[in-house]
Amino acid sequence: MAGDPPIDDVHDTADDRTRAIRERAIRERAIREIVRLWDEGLASGPAIDGEAAFEEIRIMLEGRMGCGSRPCVSGP
């Protein structure tokens, strides 16, 4: 019929729609995962000082490795 788009254009439009639907589903899953991780972080308790936490880990490792007074685990 006159005015109808060529068949290739119709397929391109369908492909574009399918691609858009797939991309939207991927975005929605990613957003749900971010929300889940955010909620998990909030539920895990208050934030801690990263430097202090790494210092505690360093001291614990040195104790396990039996390094005595000399550091056997170097800092950052």
Side-chain angles (χ1 to χ4, degrees):
M1 283 181 131
D4 286 340
I7 193 74
D8 289 341
D9 289 348
V10 172
H11 288 295
D12 288 344
T13 302
D15 290 343
D16 291 342
R17 229 174 293 149
T18 302
R19 188 176 308 109
I21 291 168
R22 187 178 322 114
E23 289 172 359
R24 182 176 180 157
I26 290 169
R27 266 195 316 277
E28 288 174 355
R29 279 195 303 268
I31 290 169
R32 281 194 305 270
E33 178 68 2
I34 290 168
V35 169
R36 185 190 68 77
L37 292 170
W38 183 271
D39 289 343
E40 185 179 307
L42 289 176
S44 72
I48 61 169
D49 175 30
E51 292 294 326
F54 281 114
E55 181 64 17
E56 287 180 31
I57 293 168
R58 186 187 62 74
I59 291 168
M60 179 193 64
L61 288 174
E62 286 178 355
R64 285 186 182 177
M65 296 172 81
C67 298
S69 62
R70 64 181 175 84
C72 48
V73 179
S74 62

